[in-house]
Amino acid sequence: MSNILFLDKMQQVIKSYDSNEFIECVQTKEITTNASELMNDTISVSLPFDETIKDASYIAVNDTKEQEFSLYRILTAKDEDNSLSFEAINFAVDELDNFIIKDIRPKDRSFSYVINQLLSDSGCDWVLGVCEPIKTVSSTFYYTSMREAIKALQELGAEFTFSIEITGNKITKKIINCYNQIGKITNKRFEYGDEVLKIVHQQDRTNIVTALIGRGKGEEVGDGYGRRLEFSDVEWKKSNGKPLDKPKGQNWIEYPEMTKEYGIPSNGKMLPRKTVVVFDDVEDANELLQKTYDQLAYYCRPLVQFSTEILGSDSIGNTVSIHRGDRNYHYQTRVFKVVTDRVNGRVQASLGDNLSGNSINRQLSQVQSNISDLDSNKMTWYDSTEIGKYQDDIMRGAGANGGSIYMVNGIEAGVSQSRETYEQVFMDGPKIQYSKYFMIQNNAGISFKQCKKGQWTTIKDVHNGASTTAWTLDGTFNASFIAAGILAGVLIQGVVVKSIGSNSFFQSVLSNGAFSIEQYKKTNNVDYTKPNWQKDVHGGKVGEFIGTYNGDTKKANGSALINYPGYIFSINQDNGNGTSTPVFQVPSNSTFDNPKFKLFGDGTLYGDINIKGSLTVNGVKIDTNGYSGGELRVDSLKVNGRTDTNELYVNGVKIDKNGGSSGGGGGWNGQYPPEVTSDRDKRYWQIWAMAIGAGFSKQAAAALLGNAQGESDADPTADESNGAPGFGYGVWQWTDSSGASSGRVYMINLMTRAGVTDNPDTITAQFKLLMWHAPNGQWFATSAYPYSWSQFMALTDINTATQAFVANFERPLNGHPERSTWAQEWYNKFVNLEISSGGGGYIAPISSPITVTSEMGWRTSPITGAQEFHNAIDLVNGNPTTPILASGDGQVVQAGSNYYDWYGNYTVIKHADGLYTGYAHQSRIDVSVGQNVKKGQQIGLMGATGPVTGPHLHFQFMDEYWPSSNAHFKNPRDYINF
């Protein structure tokens, strides 16, 4: 049983729990495959709702010593279904990122010394606990975070863990532990194929090597030869306990079983796949053979990731052995991931090669790189001897035949009696006497020298010549060497960047995180040793873009554009000839106490407007008492609360207590009369039913059908020119008159403005768009048909209504009298058919109170974060295992988890009207395929199977069992009133 604490933002304990009080408590630790990244350490918990911890900031888990805890910072918290859920990550990674090291440059210092220096310099309140590495560190830590410094140390061959100690109700110590390797080397051995060792993933490698030639440190060059150490004289025998047989005289070691499996076929047998591996620091043949074998044991086998449940929660980093008897090889590997369920005590450990998620890509990339390194390090005997012959010439100098690079030793430079290389000289000619420009690299950095051609003849002349340092070894760069070009991806910190405007009227300055426009001030040289050196750079401020901060929290909270008195701040529109006109302007007489602004041109404001003060429209003052004088005209007016008026007209139509104008998208229950059977007739019936439901007269509804036939034959996916810009799309052929985009893109953009979220390629979405688009800019009353949109909806003459739609909405170049004939035909066909009500008798699939947590339509996926079409509505009622009921009579055609993975346990019922209803993510299914069910009959229980964020019912209507497109999914709200 684990002790788990919740802490507030000041890291003080709020409340303590035992792990058996949780609904879920899963802790995950993973050693990353990238040495530059710290261990991933997260925890996910849920428990019954508790008011005292709902605003907690940290979670502490006691899983080792009595007072030692792992501490996690809470990233997300959810309060739903009478429970609390938290996701948290190890807080050390975040906290250490906020402690900055100013300047620490250790040279040959121990790990413990360096870590303590870093902690002290950064002002960090952490202390060093265990520190195993005995190697030394030489590096530079300059204005970097404590987190990045620890990552840099980890790349040198160490691994880190973090813990805290809690005494009473507060944290009393924060501890960093540094190990050579997390975990311990154990005697645990697994047999490949054991039931307790599950193979999670296996990846065969294309560059498997079955034999390696090992080469050690090379001999010093004296006679032109550079031989490297080999292990030809070392003998290995398996009978003497060695892992492989390697006879004397053989300069390679081979895994015969792997050659038989992966070797090169030749004349009926398999030859070993060989390559060379070089160890520059190995001087003993026996050690060289052992290191070569260690490399071979890794590169001769496929990558395999295992999991097991027999190791403990403290096994992270432990080393175990994997034995593969069928191929007669074994190797050591680490436990790289441990997932601990602290409620039921179950532990799942992952070991072997980390092939999960992004780790596989990194690891395979690293393997390919390592194999490439082995290939690039191959050296034939001829290569070795040839290199030896000219290596000494290079060390001595440019040589008789000339050369533009000179390796200078200490004797030649006159700085020591050593023949070791002291500096490297680059010159622009083949010899010193023919050169004018020189670049020198040595332990002081990089410098440049110049002389008259022929002035210097020896390397000592070059060494003693005057120089200008460009880049010192500690990283200081002389900016005077930047003459021209582009600086890309450069971080400039703690300086002033200044850019001069045209004719030197103004300058732009980036300083201390603020961007300023200033009066021009000429600057030649800046003496940074002067306390007021910035006065030599800055001019009078005109305007500024700054970051803002909260004075209480001392943290950034936003940004601001600052205009200074006497100057204009303006957002302008360019006219194409070098001048511009303002759209928004803060005038020069605006002050802190009396701020002013001006707006120019036409504009549109979306959303509510709250005005504190008076409002004057074209000279008419509007205030809380109404308005005085003149006529008030507004394009859009939203009134919250009661409005008293003698008469109200909307688009010319009088609205009174006896009636009014119907609008909106038009409801339709998805039902067809028995007489409507063909797919074509069903499309027209849907428009007819939606129009009648939206308040159209039957004659005006027929006018829509006649025009739909002329435009697209009522096909919501009709495309006039296969997606080309400037052509029409959809039932009423929406067209971008500017020719900039295709009809479908133009239509979808309109739907976004209209707030239509249904599948755009459906009649439902396009009818809703029609109802918005017509009164919002598309419908223009003409002299021949002087009707507003509302008046059109009430017309009772079919020909008048049809031609009014042609003239006022479609506005073609030529008339379409034939559409009146088609409208009359549809009117005759549908006028006496009954529009069914009540949604066909379908009922809600769960009991009340029902909450819709996600509507049907396009949304951001809560699982992947990508845009997706949600083909159903998600329902909950407060009971995570509530019974699921058949929405109508029918036959079960799907019952199980074999439909699509993302539906989990899924049931589909086929109904007599040709529709299908789907019920996804069930925890239990109570029916079987072929079974007939009645409306209201229990068919299963709500659950969370498949990829979900929590228990809910994903409820669908479809007109196909396997929908071929999103258009075949129907909105359940068209059938049931939720």
mmCIF file of all heavy atoms in Angstrom, residues 346-368:
data_model
loop_
_atom_site.group_PDB
_atom_site.id
_atom_site.type_symbol
_atom_site.label_atom_id
_atom_site.label_comp_id
_atom_site.label_asym_id
_atom_site.label_seq_id
_atom_site.Cartn_x
_atom_site.Cartn_y
_atom_site.Cartn_z
ATOM 1 N N ARG A 346 -0.363 -4.155 -9.420
ATOM 2 C CA ARG A 346 0.179 -4.765 -10.642
ATOM 3 C C ARG A 346 1.305 -3.904 -11.209
ATOM 4 O O ARG A 346 1.195 -2.683 -11.274
ATOM 5 C CB ARG A 346 -0.928 -4.924 -11.675
ATOM 6 C CG ARG A 346 -0.481 -5.573 -12.967
ATOM 7 C CD ARG A 346 -1.637 -5.676 -13.955
ATOM 8 N NE ARG A 346 -1.207 -6.217 -15.219
ATOM 9 C CZ ARG A 346 -1.978 -6.300 -16.297
ATOM 10 N NH1 ARG A 346 -3.241 -5.897 -16.227
ATOM 11 N NH2 ARG A 346 -1.514 -6.787 -17.431
ATOM 12 N N VAL A 347 2.404 -4.554 -11.630
ATOM 13 C CA VAL A 347 3.553 -3.872 -12.211
ATOM 14 C C VAL A 347 3.843 -4.477 -13.579
ATOM 15 O O VAL A 347 3.972 -5.698 -13.703
ATOM 16 C CB VAL A 347 4.807 -4.001 -11.318
ATOM 17 C CG1 VAL A 347 6.004 -3.337 -11.992
ATOM 18 C CG2 VAL A 347 4.551 -3.385 -9.950
ATOM 19 N N GLN A 348 3.926 -3.641 -14.598
ATOM 20 C CA GLN A 348 4.299 -4.107 -15.937
ATOM 21 C C GLN A 348 5.606 -3.442 -16.329
ATOM 22 O O GLN A 348 5.698 -2.213 -16.384
ATOM 23 C CB GLN A 348 3.216 -3.788 -16.967
ATOM 24 C CG GLN A 348 3.549 -4.335 -18.361
ATOM 25 C CD GLN A 348 2.349 -4.324 -19.285
ATOM 26 O OE1 GLN A 348 1.260 -4.008 -18.857
ATOM 27 N NE2 GLN A 348 2.566 -4.677 -20.528
ATOM 28 N N ALA A 349 6.618 -4.261 -16.572
ATOM 29 C CA ALA A 349 7.942 -3.752 -16.912
ATOM 30 C C ALA A 349 8.235 -4.014 -18.382
ATOM 31 O O ALA A 349 7.906 -5.065 -18.914
ATOM 32 C CB ALA A 349 9.011 -4.418 -16.035
ATOM 33 N N SER A 350 8.851 -3.034 -19.055
ATOM 34 C CA SER A 350 9.283 -3.180 -20.444
ATOM 35 C C SER A 350 10.797 -3.253 -20.458
ATOM 36 O O SER A 350 11.478 -2.458 -19.804
ATOM 37 C CB SER A 350 8.806 -1.991 -21.292
ATOM 38 O OG SER A 350 7.407 -1.924 -21.319
ATOM 39 N N LEU A 351 11.351 -4.214 -21.201
ATOM 40 C CA LEU A 351 12.786 -4.402 -21.253
ATOM 41 C C LEU A 351 13.211 -4.761 -22.667
ATOM 42 O O LEU A 351 12.383 -4.988 -23.552
ATOM 43 C CB LEU A 351 13.229 -5.464 -20.252
ATOM 44 C CG LEU A 351 12.601 -6.869 -20.345
ATOM 45 C CD1 LEU A 351 13.577 -7.900 -19.824
ATOM 46 C CD2 LEU A 351 11.322 -6.936 -19.492
ATOM 47 N N GLY A 352 14.502 -4.791 -22.872
ATOM 48 C CA GLY A 352 15.016 -5.075 -24.215
ATOM 49 C C GLY A 352 15.248 -3.778 -24.951
ATOM 50 O O GLY A 352 15.738 -2.798 -24.401
ATOM 51 N N ASP A 353 14.881 -3.769 -26.225
ATOM 52 C CA ASP A 353 15.055 -2.594 -27.068
ATOM 53 C C ASP A 353 13.769 -1.782 -27.046
ATOM 54 O O ASP A 353 12.694 -2.318 -27.290
ATOM 55 C CB ASP A 353 15.398 -3.015 -28.506
ATOM 56 C CG ASP A 353 16.640 -3.901 -28.554
ATOM 57 O OD1 ASP A 353 17.711 -3.407 -28.194
ATOM 58 O OD2 ASP A 353 16.519 -5.074 -28.948
ATOM 59 N N ASN A 354 13.897 -0.503 -26.782
ATOM 60 C CA ASN A 354 12.718 0.361 -26.676
ATOM 61 C C ASN A 354 12.215 0.698 -28.076
ATOM 62 O O ASN A 354 12.749 1.559 -28.755
ATOM 63 C CB ASN A 354 13.082 1.643 -25.924
ATOM 64 C CG ASN A 354 11.847 2.438 -25.559
ATOM 65 O OD1 ASN A 354 10.748 2.147 -26.033
ATOM 66 N ND2 ASN A 354 12.026 3.440 -24.728
ATOM 67 N N LEU A 355 11.156 -0.014 -28.510
ATOM 68 C CA LEU A 355 10.623 0.169 -29.856
ATOM 69 C C LEU A 355 9.267 0.838 -29.832
ATOM 70 O O LEU A 355 8.537 0.814 -30.824
ATOM 71 C CB LEU A 355 10.498 -1.190 -30.566
ATOM 72 C CG LEU A 355 11.772 -2.031 -30.613
ATOM 73 C CD1 LEU A 355 11.515 -3.314 -31.384
ATOM 74 C CD2 LEU A 355 12.897 -1.259 -31.267
ATOM 75 N N SER A 356 8.876 1.446 -28.726
ATOM 76 C CA SER A 356 7.538 2.025 -28.618
ATOM 77 C C SER A 356 7.563 3.490 -28.989
ATOM 78 O O SER A 356 8.513 4.204 -28.712
ATOM 79 C CB SER A 356 7.023 1.872 -27.185
ATOM 80 O OG SER A 356 7.902 2.508 -26.293
ATOM 81 N N GLY A 357 6.476 3.954 -29.625
ATOM 82 C CA GLY A 357 6.280 5.364 -29.934
ATOM 83 C C GLY A 357 7.444 5.939 -30.697
ATOM 84 O O GLY A 357 7.984 5.332 -31.606
ATOM 85 N N ASN A 358 7.870 7.170 -30.316
ATOM 86 C CA ASN A 358 8.953 7.836 -30.998
ATOM 87 C C ASN A 358 10.295 7.178 -30.703
ATOM 88 O O ASN A 358 11.265 7.384 -31.410
ATOM 89 C CB ASN A 358 9.029 9.310 -30.579
ATOM 90 C CG ASN A 358 7.832 10.090 -31.075
ATOM 91 O OD1 ASN A 358 7.267 9.753 -32.113
ATOM 92 N ND2 ASN A 358 7.443 11.125 -30.347
ATOM 93 N N SER A 359 10.344 6.351 -29.616
ATOM 94 C CA SER A 359 11.605 5.725 -29.254
ATOM 95 C C SER A 359 12.131 4.851 -30.372
ATOM 96 O O SER A 359 13.318 4.784 -30.625
ATOM 97 C CB SER A 359 11.437 4.893 -27.980
ATOM 98 O OG SER A 359 11.048 5.711 -26.920
ATOM 99 N N ILE A 360 11.223 4.121 -31.069
ATOM 100 C CA ILE A 360 11.665 3.238 -32.141
ATOM 101 C C ILE A 360 12.346 4.033 -33.240
ATOM 102 O O ILE A 360 13.392 3.654 -33.762
ATOM 103 C CB ILE A 360 10.485 2.420 -32.713
ATOM 104 C CG1 ILE A 360 10.943 1.575 -33.896
ATOM 105 C CG2 ILE A 360 9.343 3.332 -33.137
ATOM 106 C CD1 ILE A 360 11.973 0.565 -33.594
ATOM 107 N N ASN A 361 11.790 5.203 -33.585
ATOM 108 C CA ASN A 361 12.395 5.996 -34.647
ATOM 109 C C ASN A 361 13.775 6.479 -34.235
ATOM 110 O O ASN A 361 14.715 6.448 -35.023
ATOM 111 C CB ASN A 361 11.505 7.192 -34.974
ATOM 112 C CG ASN A 361 10.149 6.764 -35.474
ATOM 113 O OD1 ASN A 361 10.053 5.776 -36.182
ATOM 114 N ND2 ASN A 361 9.116 7.515 -35.116
ATOM 115 N N ARG A 362 13.887 6.928 -32.958
ATOM 116 C CA ARG A 362 15.190 7.394 -32.500
ATOM 117 C C ARG A 362 16.190 6.254 -32.459
ATOM 118 O O ARG A 362 17.331 6.384 -32.872
ATOM 119 C CB ARG A 362 15.049 8.029 -31.111
ATOM 120 C CG ARG A 362 14.295 9.356 -31.099
ATOM 121 C CD ARG A 362 14.543 10.105 -29.798
ATOM 122 N NE ARG A 362 14.088 9.353 -28.650
ATOM 123 C CZ ARG A 362 12.889 9.461 -28.142
ATOM 124 N NH1 ARG A 362 12.019 10.286 -28.660
ATOM 125 N NH2 ARG A 362 12.518 8.754 -27.089
ATOM 126 N N GLN A 363 15.745 5.086 -31.966
ATOM 127 C CA GLN A 363 16.681 3.999 -31.789
ATOM 128 C C GLN A 363 17.131 3.435 -33.128
ATOM 129 O O GLN A 363 18.309 3.174 -33.340
ATOM 130 C CB GLN A 363 16.053 2.891 -30.937
ATOM 131 C CG GLN A 363 17.046 1.772 -30.608
ATOM 132 C CD GLN A 363 16.604 0.999 -29.387
ATOM 133 O OE1 GLN A 363 15.854 1.492 -28.593
ATOM 134 N NE2 GLN A 363 17.097 -0.201 -29.236
ATOM 135 N N LEU A 364 16.185 3.245 -34.055
ATOM 136 C CA LEU A 364 16.576 2.731 -35.363
ATOM 137 C C LEU A 364 17.513 3.707 -36.055
ATOM 138 O O LEU A 364 18.466 3.318 -36.723
ATOM 139 C CB LEU A 364 15.335 2.473 -36.223
ATOM 140 C CG LEU A 364 14.487 1.276 -35.793
ATOM 141 C CD1 LEU A 364 13.296 1.133 -36.731
ATOM 142 C CD2 LEU A 364 15.306 0.008 -35.777
ATOM 143 N N SER A 365 17.219 5.029 -35.884
ATOM 144 C CA SER A 365 18.092 6.035 -36.467
ATOM 145 C C SER A 365 19.493 5.918 -35.877
ATOM 146 O O SER A 365 20.495 5.994 -36.584
ATOM 147 C CB SER A 365 17.522 7.420 -36.217
ATOM 148 O OG SER A 365 18.419 8.408 -36.644
ATOM 149 N N GLN A 366 19.563 5.699 -34.546
ATOM 150 C CA GLN A 366 20.850 5.572 -33.893
ATOM 151 C C GLN A 366 21.582 4.314 -34.360
ATOM 152 O O GLN A 366 22.784 4.337 -34.607
ATOM 153 C CB GLN A 366 20.650 5.542 -32.376
ATOM 154 C CG GLN A 366 21.961 5.430 -31.594
ATOM 155 C CD GLN A 366 21.706 5.369 -30.106
ATOM 156 O OE1 GLN A 366 20.580 5.418 -29.669
ATOM 157 N NE2 GLN A 366 22.767 5.256 -29.334
ATOM 158 N N VAL A 367 20.810 3.213 -34.496
ATOM 159 C CA VAL A 367 21.424 1.957 -34.959
ATOM 160 C C VAL A 367 22.010 2.135 -36.349
ATOM 161 O O VAL A 367 23.144 1.758 -36.633
ATOM 162 C CB VAL A 367 20.385 0.818 -34.935
ATOM 163 C CG1 VAL A 367 20.923 -0.400 -35.659
ATOM 164 C CG2 VAL A 367 20.044 0.456 -33.512
ATOM 165 N N GLN A 368 21.206 2.742 -37.283
ATOM 166 C CA GLN A 368 21.690 2.945 -38.641
ATOM 167 C C GLN A 368 22.935 3.818 -38.614
ATOM 168 O O GLN A 368 23.893 3.591 -39.361
ATOM 169 C CB GLN A 368 20.583 3.596 -39.490
ATOM 170 C CG GLN A 368 19.354 2.729 -39.665
ATOM 171 C CD GLN A 368 19.640 1.465 -40.456
ATOM 172 O OE1 GLN A 368 20.583 1.420 -41.229
ATOM 173 N NE2 GLN A 368 18.859 0.433 -40.247
#
